[in-house]
Amino acid sequence: MTLTSMRSIRRKLTVIIMLTSTIAVLLTCLGFVISDVVSLRKDLAGDLSTLAEIVGVNVVEELTFGDRQGAVGDMSALKAKPSIVAAGVYTERGELFAQYEPNASISVPRVLPADGFYNNGELLELVHAIRLGHRRIGTLYIASDARERNLRLMQYGEIGAGIVLGSLLLAFVLSSILQRDISQPIVELAHVTRLVSHHKNYTVRASPRRLSGGDEIDDLMIGFNGMLTEIEQRDKRLLVAKDVAERAAEVNAQLARESALILNSSSDGIIGVDLNSEPTFINQSAEQMLGRTLAELRGASIHELIHHTRADGTPWPGSDCPLGAAVLRGELFRVPSDIFWRADGSSFPVEYSVTPMFDDEGRRHGAVFTFRDVTERQAVDRLKGEFVSTVSHELRTPLTSIRGALGLLSSGLLGPIAEKGQRMLEIAVSNTDRLVRLINDILDLERIGSGKTELSRGHVDARAAMVQAFEGVLSMADEAGVQLAIEPASAELLGDTDRIVQTLTNLLGNAIKFSPPHTTVTVSGAVHGTDFVFCVSDQGRGIPEEKLGAIFERFSQVDASDSRDKGGSGLGLAICQSIVEAHGGRIWAEPNHPAGSRFQFTIPLALAAIGEASTKGKESQHAA
Amino acid sequence: MPRNHVLLVVDDEDDIREVAGLSLDLTEGWTILTANGGAAGMELAASSHPDAILLDVMMPDWDGPRTLRALQGRDATESIPVIFLTAKVQESDRQRFMQMGVRGIIAKPFDPLTLGQQIKNLLSWN
């Protein structure tokens, strides 16, 4: 098991401490042993040298004179040193001269090695030169028993081992106690870390022993706790932010669901398009009406998809269609009558509007098409039209007989009639005429209002229309004693001349009817932007402010007695409004200061005239 | 004294035939023939050669235009001027009728005192 493979820091620390102390104790013991061995050996060698010196001096004489017995005697003095186990004197030529061998098992060698010490197992041997003055006269061999020394070495070893074991035990006990100081906080830190990482519990904290002035582990814990606090706070903020985001997403989803519900609950078709007029949204009604889903509509312009062919079956190039341009310009666009095409090639009549969409910065980013299938409404309108037409005819037939009979009676051609009877017949005739006008107006209104009567659109000379209407009411004005004035203006309009004259005549007739004698009724006109504005003003009794808006409603009269006194059907202004609106214009009434009323209506200028008018406008701007 | 014209009035309404006939008789002194339908009017026109025919447009079976085509299709009657008498006042109808070859159109209800004058104006009988 290596150090790094150990899982517990406690064991690691113990092992490190014990290893370190073991090595230290071992090295110390080894040092002692080595130094002791060296000094022991030195002592032993020194003793042996001194002994050899003494013996060598003693045997010089015997060697010189060949006295072997004397040499042996000299050497026997070695008995005092029981550690000396063998000794020998050798001649100059190396022959054994005398020997001392107290122990039978050990004998001196026959041939000597060179001078010096020799460690030979249990023996320490010394070969020593014997000199007389400077001349070498022989050699001394002396052997000492080294077992004593070895015994001491062994004793040293045992003591050393005891010390090492004792130290290890002590180290183990001490490390076990002391390492807690280091390992315990680290173990606790590890525990806290596990809690944090496994259980995502950021509320736990390590407990340093000292908050200041502690060791690095305390610093580590304090730092770790600081990081935990930081993480805990961020976690809380994150949770709050997540909660807020989730709630916002929920609210958004709810809004989206509601929007979708609202859009899908609409019986009108709704299609959202981008600036290229390509669909980006479609509600259920539109899907059902068109027989297409959003996926099938994507990638092409709304015109190419559902508006590609005119009602008469001729192709309608996108470049001729005003829709794309209106979407791009961000214009509100209303079309009362058109047709849309389904995927299967069938078509249906619609009315629709295009509403521009703007983002928060006010930039255009598309438009919403809202359309309605008017098949049923057209059918109802047709039925209504047929009904009105039939009723009118059926009413007119008996009226023809009544009118004719009354006319003949009141003419006196059938014989004289009493004065009161004559008066009654006149009332009957005038009311029959009024009934006929009423029927005619109802029929007229129905036809214009339903678009059943196509306007014969063409270029209209505004001046000529004004003059024609003016001349048409001259005799009526004469009879009423009302002055007529005309302030004609020239312009080329797009519309139905007869209908425009009818409108002007109607307004002029009304003005004359409601003007006292010696006042003036004026018809005038002026170009205004892309429109021409006709104006009929009088100096009569005027219209109360609160009735100005309602005056164009059917059977509306300023005064309840007017329909009787003035002989109107109550539909004249409603007819005027229908005609003007069929032209794409608008009609309104306002007080004519200081007295009277002013009726105005707009008819669009012909395209060529618009170009001219805008050029003129620019010129006048330059002039200003 | 104006020449004594003979006029045929064709209308399915008895009262209208009577009122129109009396009006023209009283105001102009014309001789009035009447028929209550297109087919009968056609036969009467062929047999009695009136100077003009006042023809109602909306009638059951043979309506005005059909009767007109029948009159125009017969040698005996093709030269007799026809005036439509109609409750329809639409401009588009007026143009359509004129293209059929009628001499004029008089709207119902008519003024009995001026009916004869209207007819004379349309036929240039003054």
Side-chain angles (χ1 to χ4, degrees), chain A residues 234-449:
Chain A
R234 285 194 189 181
D235 194 49
K236 276 182 188 159
R237 284 201 296 269
L238 210 61
L239 278 176
V240 169
K242 197 180 154 198
D243 195 39
V244 168
E246 275 172 1
R247 255 181 287 166
E250 208 173 298
V251 168
N252 277 341
Q254 180 70 23
L255 279 176
R257 276 195 300 276
E258 281 176 12
S259 301
L261 195 66
I262 290 168
L263 290 171
N264 282 330
S265 65
S266 167
S267 60
D268 286 354
I270 299 171
I271 299 178
V273 299
D274 60 17
L275 285 178
N276 296 322
S277 295
E278 290 178 14
T280 55
F281 169 84
I282 179 166
N283 75 342
Q284 283 176 358
S285 298
E287 280 185 355
Q288 283 162 8
M289 279 190 258
L290 295 170
R292 295 178 201 247
T293 63
L294 183 59
E296 292 164 347
L297 287 172
R298 278 191 195 278
S301 82
I302 194 88
H303 175 83
E304 290 162 30
L305 291 162
I306 61 174
H307 199 233
H308 44 73
T309 307
R310 289 189 172 90
D312 60 10
T314 58
W316 193 340
S319 51
D320 282 0
C321 174
L323 289 181
V327 170
L328 266 184
R329 285 196 299 269
E331 287 173 1
L332 190 70
F333 204 77
R334 283 188 206 284
V335 179
S337 177
D338 206 337
I339 61 163
F340 281 174
W341 295 84
R342 296 192 187 93
D344 62 8
S346 60
S347 66
F348 58 101
V350 290
E351 68 171 356
Y352 68 93
S353 65
V354 185
T355 311
M357 285 193 289
F358 298 95
D359 61 17
D360 291 343
E361 275 83 48
R363 286 188 300 261
R364 287 188 303 280
H365 67 93
V368 179
F369 274 71
T370 309
F371 62 96
R372 183 173 296 175
D373 185 339
V374 293
T375 306
E376 278 180 34
R377 199 181 68 195
Q378 283 187 350
V380 169
D381 283 349
R382 198 165 46 246
L383 276 176
K384 188 183 115 194
E386 283 168 9
F387 177 75
V388 170
S389 178
T390 306
V391 165
S392 300
H393 176 261
E394 294 302 321
L395 284 173
R396 218 181 258 117
T397 299
L399 269 175
T400 304
S401 302
I402 294 167
R403 177 65 180 83
L406 289 172
L408 286 176
L409 274 174
S410 69
S411 70
L413 289 172
L414 298 172
I417 293 171
E419 196 182 331
K420 283 182 179 168
Q422 184 68 33
R423 173 67 192 137
M424 290 303 109
L425 283 172
E426 279 166 13
I427 289 173
V429 167
S430 86
N431 279 280
T432 311
D433 286 346
R434 193 173 138 208
L435 196 54
V436 172
R437 279 200 301 277
L438 184 59
I439 292 167
N440 287 345
D441 282 355
I442 289 172
L443 198 60
D444 212 14
L445 188 62
E446 197 282 319
R447 285 182 161 148
I448 300 165

Side-chain angles (χ1 to χ4, degrees), chain B residues 47-109:
Chain B
S47 61
S48 57
H49 290 281
D51 296 307
I53 301 172
L54 199 55
L55 180 62
D56 185 29
V57 172
M58 291 185 80
M59 292 185 291
D61 299 332
W62 287 36
D63 65 359
R66 181 173 174 190
T67 312
L68 177 65
R69 278 196 299 278
L71 289 166
Q72 288 168 339
R74 265 171 90 158
D75 293 343
T77 55
E78 68 170 344
S79 60
I80 305 171
V82 175
I83 294 170
F84 270 165
L85 189 62
T86 179
K88 287 197 169 187
V89 290
Q90 268 292 95
E91 188 60 30
S92 56
D93 293 333
R94 178 174 287 274
Q95 286 170 7
R96 188 161 57 88
F97 295 154
M98 291 304 286
Q99 282 165 5
M100 290 177 182
V102 296
R103 297 291 289 269
I105 297 155
I106 293 174
K108 284 184 186 174

Side-chain angles (χ1 to χ4, degrees), chain A residues 465-527:
Chain A
M466 290 163 78
V467 169
Q468 191 182 336
F470 175 81
E471 287 172 348
V473 296
L474 263 178
S475 60
M476 183 185 175
D478 256 3
E479 282 170 28
V482 173
Q483 305 281 322
L484 259 191
I486 181 164
E487 296 166 10
S490 292
E492 198 178 339
L493 318 181
L494 186 64
D496 184 329
T497 304
D498 288 345
R499 292 297 187 179
I500 292 169
V501 171
Q502 182 186 350
T503 306
L504 279 170
T505 305
N506 204 317
L507 293 178
L508 281 168
N510 272 350
I512 292 164
K513 268 192 278 183
F514 293 103
S515 287
H518 314 302
T519 58
T520 306
V521 168
T522 309
V523 56
S524 60
V527 172

Side-chain angles (χ1 to χ4, degrees), chain A residues 151-314:
Chain A
L151 201 66
R152 275 178 70 182
L153 277 178
M154 274 179 68
Q155 281 174 341
Y156 275 137
E158 283 164 9
I159 292 165
I163 290 170
V164 166
L165 276 175
S167 320
L168 275 176
L169 198 64
L170 192 66
F172 180 75
V173 172
L174 278 177
S175 71
S176 297
I177 297 164
L178 293 177
Q179 53 93 19
R180 273 183 210 149
D181 201 40
I182 294 166
S183 68
Q184 198 61 39
I186 293 175
V187 167
E188 191 197 325
L189 205 56
H191 176 67
V192 171
T193 310
R194 263 196 300 280
L195 280 178
V196 169
S197 63
H198 289 177
H199 304 289
K200 308 291 174 210
N201 180 359
Y202 299 112
T203 59
V204 291
R205 293 289 182 274
S207 357
R209 288 148 302 179
R210 288 185 198 170
L211 289 176
S212 63
D215 60 15
E216 288 87 343
I217 293 175
D218 293 326
D219 290 347
L220 189 64
M221 284 185 156
I222 291 164
F224 185 74
N225 284 348
M227 282 184 344
L228 270 183
T229 305
E230 178 74 13
I231 291 173
E232 188 186 4
Q233 284 170 357
R234 285 194 189 181
D235 194 49
K236 276 182 188 159
R237 284 201 296 269
L238 210 61
L239 278 176
V240 169
K242 197 180 154 198
D243 195 39
V244 168
E246 275 172 1
R247 255 181 287 166
E250 208 173 298
V251 168
N252 277 341
Q254 180 70 23
L255 279 176
R257 276 195 300 276
E258 281 176 12
S259 301
L261 195 66
I262 290 168
L263 290 171
N264 282 330
S265 65
S266 167
S267 60
D268 286 354
I270 299 171
I271 299 178
V273 299
D274 60 17
L275 285 178
N276 296 322
S277 295
E278 290 178 14
T280 55
F281 169 84
I282 179 166
N283 75 342
Q284 283 176 358
S285 298
E287 280 185 355
Q288 283 162 8
M289 279 190 258
L290 295 170
R292 295 178 201 247
T293 63
L294 183 59
E296 292 164 347
L297 287 172
R298 278 191 195 278
S301 82
I302 194 88
H303 175 83
E304 290 162 30
L305 291 162
I306 61 174
H307 199 233
H308 44 73
T309 307
R310 289 189 172 90
D312 60 10
T314 58

